[in-house]
Amino acid sequence: RETVDHIREIVATQQNYARNDVVKTAKPERIDALIDHALRVAESALIRHSIVVEKEIQELPPIILERHHLLQILINLITNAKRAVSVRAPGERRIRIRVRQVDDRIAISIIDNGCGIPPENMSKLFRHGFTTHPKGHGFGLHSSALTARAMDGRIFASSDGPDHGATFTLEIPATLSVRSKAA
């Protein structure tokens, strides 16, 4: 039921982006609880693919944010990491989720030991329509970047290249301010 409710929220959010009139229902949320929620949504796929998830989460007070925006980004990044680690043998597939406060920002990193990212793709990752997945549509990372911007945040990636995994980091303000319009 939570997953269906989340899907409904994502669809509503995307429709609102199309109209450039994002209605926000921001309230205090705990980052660790939202990460656990995103992992529950992805749990069956993570188990089915024998993926070990490690968490390094700094204890933080609740911050004001629109929970479905953060969940949308987290689920997308976890799903992408799941696909990336599928190149590894079962037992070697790892995803680490790290949360740290750095000055006035919170950094949420999804780190995988998967296929990595070729240098020539780094600048294209967040473009609408860009994908390296055969069944991909190139909307997930683009949408995540737009959502991050609407949260006064940013998302970026790093990789040492093919076969060296990747890290996707979402940075959001530690005391998130809510804007009335999408960026």
Side-chain angles (χ1 to χ4, degrees), residues 1-3 5-7 9-10 13 22-41 63-75 108 147 151 170 172 176 178:
R1 187 172 145 222
E2 284 181 348
T3 303
D5 288 342
H6 175 68
I7 291 168
E9 286 294 325
I10 289 173
T13 299
V22 177
V23 177
K24 299 199 178 190
T25 56
K27 62 181 185 176
E29 299 282 354
R30 291 184 41 172
I31 298 293
D32 59 334
L34 292 174
I35 288 170
D36 287 343
H37 181 102
L39 287 170
R40 278 193 310 274
V41 170
I63 64 167
I64 301 216
L65 57 78
E66 209 303 321
R67 70 174 295 162
H68 294 287
H69 287 183
L70 184 58
L71 282 171
Q72 175 187 352
I73 295 170
L74 290 173
I75 291 168
I108 304 169
T147 301
M151 298 170 67
L170 168 67
I172 55 175
L176 197 60
V178 180

Side-chain angles (χ1 to χ4, degrees), residues 28-32 34-35 56-65 70 73-74 77 97-110 148 151-156 168-177:
E29 299 282 354
R30 291 184 41 172
I31 298 293
D32 59 334
L34 292 174
I35 288 170
E56 298 174 13
I57 300 177
Q58 178 182 354
E59 190 172 326
L60 299 169
I63 64 167
I64 301 216
L65 57 78
L70 184 58
I73 295 170
L74 290 173
L77 295 179
I97 300 174
R98 180 186 299 148
V99 178
R100 298 280 182 263
Q101 183 166 347
V102 181
D103 299 322
D104 63 343
R105 315 279 292 163
I106 293 174
I108 304 169
S109 298
I110 309 298
M151 298 170 67
D152 291 328
R154 70 183 187 118
I155 189 168
F156 56 93
F168 284 81
T169 300
L170 168 67
E171 284 186 354
I172 55 175
T175 53
L176 197 60
S177 64

Side-chain angles (χ1 to χ4, degrees), residues 14 17 22 24 69 72-73 126 128 139-153 155 179 182-183:
Q14 295 307 318
Y17 275 133
V22 177
K24 299 199 178 190
H69 287 183
Q72 175 187 352
I73 295 170
F126 301 100
H128 184 266
F139 186 65
L141 287 177
H142 176 73
S143 175
S144 292
L146 292 176
T147 301
R149 219 176 315 156
M151 298 170 67
D152 291 328
I155 189 168
R179 298 192 299 188

